[in-house]
Amino acid sequence: MVSFEAAQQQSYETAEATVSQRPYGFARPLASAPPGIEGLPHGAYTCGEEHLWDELRRIDQLVRAQTLRWRLTIGESKPERLWGMVHVTDAEVERFLQSDFLRPGDLPAEIEREMAVYWQAADEIAASIQTRCQNSPPPIELRLRRIERLFSLSPFERDVLLVCLLPELDGRYRRLFGYLLDDASRTRPTVELVTQILHPVARQVVTARTAFESAEPLLAQRLIVLGNEAYGDETLPMRSLRCDDRIANYLLGGDAVDSRIKDVLSIADCTAERSGEASPQWDGLIADQQHVKRVKHLAEWWRQERAERCARATILLHGSYGSGRRKVAHAFCAAAQTPLLVADVGAALRTGDWERTVDLCFREAMLRDAAVYWAGCESLLDRQQQSDQPNSQSHHWDHLVAAAERFRGLTFFASRTAWDPANRFHESSFLRLDFQTPDYALRQQIWQRHLPGAENFAEPAPDRSALAGTLANAFQFTEGQVVDALVSARSLALQRAPQRALLTVEDLYEGCRRQSNRRLIAFAKRVEPRTNLSFDDLVLPAANKRQLEELRARIACQKQLLGESGFERRLSLGKGLIVMFTGSSGTGKTMAAELLAREQGVDLYKIDLSAVVSKYVGETEKNLSRVFSEAEDCNAMIFFDEADAIFGKRGKVEEAKDRWANIEINFLLQRVEEYSGVVILASNLRQNIDEGFLRRIHVIVEFPFPESKARFNIWRGMFPAEIARPTDEELRAMADIFRLPGGSIRNIVVDAAARALGEANGHRPAISLRHLALSTAREYQKLGKPITKGEFGMKFFDWIQEEILMNAKE
């Protein structure tokens, strides 16, 4: 068989010899068939490339006919010296005036007869192509035919694509098109030239020109580029046409992803060895079995729909990061035997041409007969929900949805934000699959699967099953977050011992904390854990300490209690744990919250009420909603100090402001009950808390004002072992005399230490009873309490009068 390039070379040599008699007058066609079509084969195609060459050879005959037409009209009356110049000669005008009027697109009969020889040759090649296609076995992929079918191209649109492809394969056509346009600088065919070349295919100019409208496949699917437009390093002149590079490469057998979207689109590996009905992808999913079963049925439905007809479907995968959305999409496509492409929304936005990037991604999926998974759609949905401005970035989502609706295939939208269509998908299918945060049992399975073996831990290695249960209870992680936490933990171990990086349990907890969301920083402050304190340092009466011990045990098994006992299925609300600490300032409420968080290995965030509460209507509720939502994402305990300021009683509505205040409290009542984590409220005034909140609180721990014995234990526990202090008898006397809470005692000891250090003169400081008496007086002044001789005693009062009450002495 003669190759395309060899046939074209032979054709050009013959044509050049034929027209050498007359520079700009095409010689009369030969009586025999035009060069390059003798002995057309009729056997089956062995590859798609052979079919493409035959189609291009057919188009070449139409180009030759147009060359003849040009020479018999414009070229015949144009001097050689004026060729390629913007100049119209009198002879050309006179020739036009002497001719009859013809409708646009019609040809003079004599010229049409001359061109008919080439048109007939093109028809003979087309007949040969048809015969060979019918004889070709099904496995042979004819990519040009597939392009026609995928994009619903008419015969004219298909041939437009082929005309534009010619100069991509053979530079001589660029010169030939410049010749036909009377401008050597224009190497691409124009709309008008292509319409003239394809006159036998679409004789009506109006009908032909509709193929170049923006809604038609050639431009809508970006199969060709229409000037005036920059394309790579080339700027196309007005009305010029160029075949898209990816389409040209595809027709020639190329399978590389379009270079313009190579940073946006990746090919997912969804291959699976199938054994009966089982698939490794489904087996690898740790998810609710009913949910997996539903997705399996959907995959089977899609496989049948795709086989029977050109189905269209869009599935919104709604869930948090790492919840298994991509794994489900992989398993879905493997079961449906559909390739999967993953598109990054963020990378697509960074290209600067969102609409083109989206169109190219869907076109790539069509070429590969693949599904498309759009990752990170929440960024588009959030913008759309926050902005109603026309032409803003919020409308990126609208374009993506419209493209998915048109796409003849399967589209996945992965989003943390839920969405349901309005006035969309009337003629295609839309489904929303919600991916819930794994319950305790599933989280335990996830940890057991991903926790490394005992050989990867420092001695003594922890019990994997017990550790998995503890971590599952402390952190409401998805599988993706578990994997990321383990990566962070390994990084910590590597920093500590690069030569032999062995994990510790503390590495795992710190890795989990690092993976938790830190967006709460806008409304809260992270309380740094103090590792030198323990529950033994918390001075409480036995009964109250017993309350705290019960709370510790409940927090440690809260998620296990809900999951394994079945309460989680029965409770639609109240799955979290709401705790209230009540008592005077300085009685240890904040310290207890800190110890509880540290024991669970999670962070404690203290809510900044000044940042949350707003004077503007509705802003406080919005801020509180964000606090609770982000606290759940953080896997953190949240701590409201002075909670009565915001969780106070609802009052009688007498003014408009009372109504809004009650709305805030009603909102809090609902939101607290929906919260799934641990929230601790601290209040000095329990009686000021609204009864609706008290009903929703699960545990209340009293922190009573310390009695004399408790105060003595607080005094003694405040002094570091490295510093000298008064005797126990002296401290017991301080506890008996001064009725102060632990917070005030702490302030006194620290102030006394500063006094001792100032008097040490470089020696080791020692805190004396005098230092404590003076610091106590300063604390009384701060609290606004009177300093009397009767309360302090003569000895203490003399010290105070000498150094503190100097004016009184004078």
Side-chain angles (χ1 to χ4, degrees), residues 38-39 123 285 375 384 428 483 500 607 657 659 715 792:
E38 297 88 348
D123 289 342
L285 291 176
Q384 188 198 49
S428 61
V483 173
R500 193 163 183 261
I607 302 303
K657 63 180 182 179
R659 177 171 169 268
W715 277 107
F792 277 78

Side-chain angles (χ1 to χ4, degrees), residues 372-433:
V372 190
Y373 178 96
W374 289 91
C377 290
E378 61 274 357
S379 61
L380 302 177
L381 281 167
D382 292 343
R383 288 179 184 178
Q384 188 198 49
Q385 294 172 1
Q386 295 170 6
S387 174
D388 295 325
Q389 298 297 322
N391 301 321
S392 69
Q393 289 187 336
S394 64
H395 293 278
H396 288 341
W397 175 250
D398 294 331
H399 180 80
L400 180 60
V401 170
E405 193 173 9
R406 294 189 303 266
F407 177 54
R408 297 177 183 174
L410 178 63
T411 304
F412 293 101
F413 290 148
S415 173
R416 285 182 249 180
T417 304
W419 179 82
D420 284 292
N423 197 29
R424 290 283 193 185
F425 300 102
H426 293 173
E427 298 181 2
S428 61
S429 301
F430 177 86
L431 304 93
R432 190 180 103 184
L433 299 180

Side-chain angles (χ1 to χ4, degrees), residues 533-553:
L533 295 179
S534 69
F535 282 96
D536 294 335
D537 296 310
L538 195 62
V539 179
L540 286 174
N544 302 98
K545 203 156 192 176
R546 178 62 179 170
Q547 279 185 299
L548 192 60
E549 292 295 329
E550 291 174 356
L551 175 61
R552 291 172 62 187

Side-chain angles (χ1 to χ4, degrees), residues 347-652:
L349 289 170
R350 289 192 293 272
T351 62
D353 192 341
W354 170 256
E355 293 187 2
R356 185 190 73 170
T357 302
V358 169
D359 294 346
L360 293 181
C361 287
F362 277 111
R363 190 187 70 182
E364 189 72 30
M366 290 182 70
L367 294 176
R368 296 174 180 274
D369 197 17
V372 190
Y373 178 96
W374 289 91
C377 290
E378 61 274 357
S379 61
L380 302 177
L381 281 167
D382 292 343
R383 288 179 184 178
Q384 188 198 49
Q385 294 172 1
Q386 295 170 6
S387 174
D388 295 325
Q389 298 297 322
N391 301 321
S392 69
Q393 289 187 336
S394 64
H395 293 278
H396 288 341
W397 175 250
D398 294 331
H399 180 80
L400 180 60
V401 170
E405 193 173 9
R406 294 189 303 266
F407 177 54
R408 297 177 183 174
L410 178 63
T411 304
F412 293 101
F413 290 148
S415 173
R416 285 182 249 180
T417 304
W419 179 82
D420 284 292
N423 197 29
R424 290 283 193 185
F425 300 102
H426 293 173
E427 298 181 2
S428 61
S429 301
F430 177 86
L431 304 93
R432 190 180 103 184
L433 299 180
D434 293 314
F435 290 72
Q436 304 296 335
T437 300
D439 60 17
Y440 171 79
L442 287 177
R443 291 199 301 273
Q444 193 173 26
Q445 290 181 39
I446 292 169
W447 278 108
Q448 286 178 338
R449 170 173 292 185
H450 292 286
L451 276 176
E455 66 278 4
N456 295 290
F457 282 91
E459 294 294 339
D463 179 83
R464 290 182 77 256
S465 179
L467 180 58
T470 304
L471 291 169
N473 184 76
F475 299 95
Q476 297 185 65
F477 273 177
T478 62
E479 186 172 7
Q481 290 173 304
V482 168
V483 173
D484 290 344
L486 287 170
V487 171
S488 295
R490 292 190 188 98
S491 173
L492 292 168
L494 187 63
Q495 293 176 35
R496 185 175 58 250
Q499 302 302 325
R500 193 163 183 261
L502 295 176
L503 290 169
T504 64
V505 173
E506 182 53 39
D507 290 335
L508 292 175
Y509 275 101
E510 180 60 25
C512 290
R513 287 191 290 268
R514 290 188 177 191
Q515 289 305 317
S516 295
N517 197 323
R518 303 306 175 102
R519 293 179 297 171
L520 262 173
I521 198 66
F523 297 113
K525 178 182 178 182
R526 180 174 178 262
V527 178
E528 292 292 338
R530 291 175 287 179
T531 57
N532 60 327
L533 295 179
S534 69
F535 282 96
D536 294 335
D537 296 310
L538 195 62
V539 179
L540 286 174
N544 302 98
K545 203 156 192 176
R546 178 62 179 170
Q547 279 185 299
L548 192 60
E549 292 295 329
E550 291 174 356
L551 175 61
R552 291 172 62 187
R554 181 161 176 178
I555 292 176
C557 67
Q558 174 71 8
K559 302 305 178 184
Q560 183 179 1
L561 171 68
L562 294 176
E564 294 184 353
S565 61
F567 280 108
E568 192 164 22
R569 295 190 301 271
R570 292 182 174 270
L571 298 175
S572 59
L573 297 174
K575 296 181 181 180
L577 189 61
I578 311 300
V579 181
M580 173 171 279
F581 291 165
T582 64
S584 303
S585 297
T587 52
K589 299 187 294 296
T590 302
M591 178 180 171
E594 179 185 333
L595 291 171
L596 288 172
R598 195 187 73 188
E599 185 175 60
Q600 290 301 306
V602 300
D603 285 330
L604 177 69
Y605 278 90
K606 187 174 182 179
I607 302 303
D608 182 4
L609 293 181
S610 65
V612 172
V613 178
S614 173
K615 65 180 180 180
Y616 298 105
V617 173
E619 283 298 310
T620 300
E621 293 93 320
K622 186 185 298 183
N623 294 340
L624 285 168
S625 178
R626 179 176 170 187
V627 164
F628 281 103
S629 297
E630 294 178 357
E632 288 174 335
D633 290 342
C634 285
N635 292 279
M637 287 188 189
I638 55 176
F639 181 64
F640 285 90
D641 200 5
E642 307 295 341
D644 48 284
I646 194 169
F647 293 86
K649 290 183 177 180
R650 286 167 286 191
K652 183 179 180 181

Side-chain angles (χ1 to χ4, degrees), residues 62 66 69 115 119 191-200:
L62 303 181
Q66 176 62 22
R69 175 186 177 182
M115 299 171 69
W119 293 346
V191 171
E192 293 74 21
L193 179 58
V194 169
T195 303
Q196 292 173 359
I197 291 172
L198 300 180
H199 175 73

Side-chain angles (χ1 to χ4, degrees), residues 78 142 228 230 284 344 522:
K78 187 156 189 160
L142 305 181
N228 193 14
D344 184 342

